[in-house]
């Protein structure tokens, strides 16, 4: 039997993160890319929202942070991701959307993946213009009725992203994992650019 890590250099990139500010189009692109690669798109925001809808204990807790544009505490989020990554469908790869978002989460994810005997192949970064993004999010809030898509919350979410999540990019850059893609192009163009970023080295 061959060991899965013995020839990592030729293995296709299938253990992936997609990163970018709120409204960059991460969710839309994650679903497309994951479907094309046959791996699950794992969105922590979606998991929290499902719990909010289901009025679970986790949902009640998460909502109190989400509605203010703040992050749910790392301990809660890390445990949730740990159990999701342990599910069978994530064994052959995954695309994490919206996680990790803090340096503590980066460390936690490193630990989870090393326990699973694996690591990250690539980090896809969607680069967008902030003011454009605010406009997109206000429109989404009106369409989907998302309670965290009001202008005040959006501005707070962008601040929190700049303070807590943007520094992660340096960490992954230092590991040579980050590929930058212009997130202002059309949805199809962004998907194509992301596929290219996954194909190249
Ligand atoms: P998203 O759909 O990814 O924009 O996430 C919506 C909200 O869920 C965020 O504003 C946070 O309140 C919460 N959330 C999602 N992912 C995380 C995470 N990795 N860490 C902490 N909070 C998160």
């Amino acid at each position: 039997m061959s060991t899965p890590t013995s020839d990592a250099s030729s293995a296709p990139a299938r253990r992936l993160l997609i990163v970018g500010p709120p409204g960059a189009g991460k969710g839309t692109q994650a679903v497309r890319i994951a479907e094309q690669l046959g791996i699950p798109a794992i969105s922590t925001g979606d998991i929290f929202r499902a719990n909010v809808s289901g009025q679970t204990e986790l949902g009640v807790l998460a909502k109190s942070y989400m509605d203010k544009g703040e992050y749910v505490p790392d301990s809660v989020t890390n445990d949730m991701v740990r159990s999701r990554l342990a599910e069978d469908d994530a064994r052959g790869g995954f695309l994490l959307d919206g996680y990790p978002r803090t340096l503590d989460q980066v460390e936690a994810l490193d630990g989870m993946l090393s326990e699973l005997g694996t690591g990250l192949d690539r980090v896809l970064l969607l680069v967008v213009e902030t003011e454009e993004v605010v406009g997109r999010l206000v429109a989404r809030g009106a369409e989907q009725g998302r309670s965290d898509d009001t202008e005040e919350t959006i501005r707070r979410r962008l601040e929190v992203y700049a303070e807590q999540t943007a520094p992660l990019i340096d960490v992954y850059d230092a590991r040579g994992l980050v590929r930058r893609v212009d997130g202002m192009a059309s949805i199809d163009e962004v998907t194509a650019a992301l596929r290219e970023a996954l194909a190249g080295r």
Side-chain angles (χ1 to χ4, degrees), residues 35-193:
E35 193 182 276
Q36 291 178 12
L37 297 180
I39 55 176
I42 301 176
S43 156
T44 43
D46 281 352
I47 302 174
F48 284 133
R49 279 184 288 279
N51 277 277
V52 172
S53 302
Q55 297 178 319
T56 67
E57 207 177 311
L58 172 64
V60 172
L61 175 87
K63 188 172 170 26
S64 65
Y65 294 93
M66 292 167 82
D67 281 352
K68 289 184 287 190
E70 305 292 338
Y71 287 167
V72 178
D74 286 334
S75 55
V76 175
T77 310
N78 290 335
D79 284 350
M80 187 175 89
V81 174
R82 184 175 289 107
S83 33
R84 182 62 188 87
L85 283 179
E87 286 179 34
D88 276 352
D89 66 339
R91 228 184 277 166
F94 51 81
L95 174 50
L96 278 169
D97 158 18
Y99 181 93
R101 263 176 152 106
T102 65
L103 290 168
D104 183 271
Q105 292 180 13
V106 169
E107 237 178 79
L109 177 62
D110 285 343
M112 289 172 215
L113 295 179
S114 88
E115 273 166 33
L116 293 167
T118 181
L120 282 178
D121 296 324
R122 216 147 287 185
V123 175
L124 300 165
L125 174 62
L126 288 176
V127 181
V128 293
E129 289 154 27
T130 307
E131 280 312 308
E132 176 82 12
V133 153
V134 173
R136 283 188 190 180
L137 288 171
V138 171
R140 181 175 74 184
E143 272 165 32
Q144 301 179 0
R146 261 182 66 159
S147 57
D148 59 347
D149 275 346
T150 62
E151 181 149 359
E152 191 192 345
T153 314
I154 291 163
R155 299 250 172 232
R156 181 62 194 144
R157 283 162 60 208
L158 286 166
E159 271 172 21
V160 173
Y161 176 84
E163 284 163 15
Q164 299 198 46
T165 303
L168 272 54
I169 296 157
D170 291 342
V171 174
Y172 288 126
D173 252 334
R175 299 185 193 176
L177 293 176
V178 181
R179 299 294 179 276
R180 288 170 170 75
V181 166
D182 173 16
M184 303 308 292
S186 73
I187 292 178
D188 284 344
E189 284 167 332
V190 176
T191 307

Side-chain angles (χ1 to χ4, degrees), residues 28-41:
T28 304
Q29 296 297 337
V31 168
R32 291 177 147 220
I33 296 290
E35 193 182 276
Q36 291 178 12
L37 297 180
I39 55 176

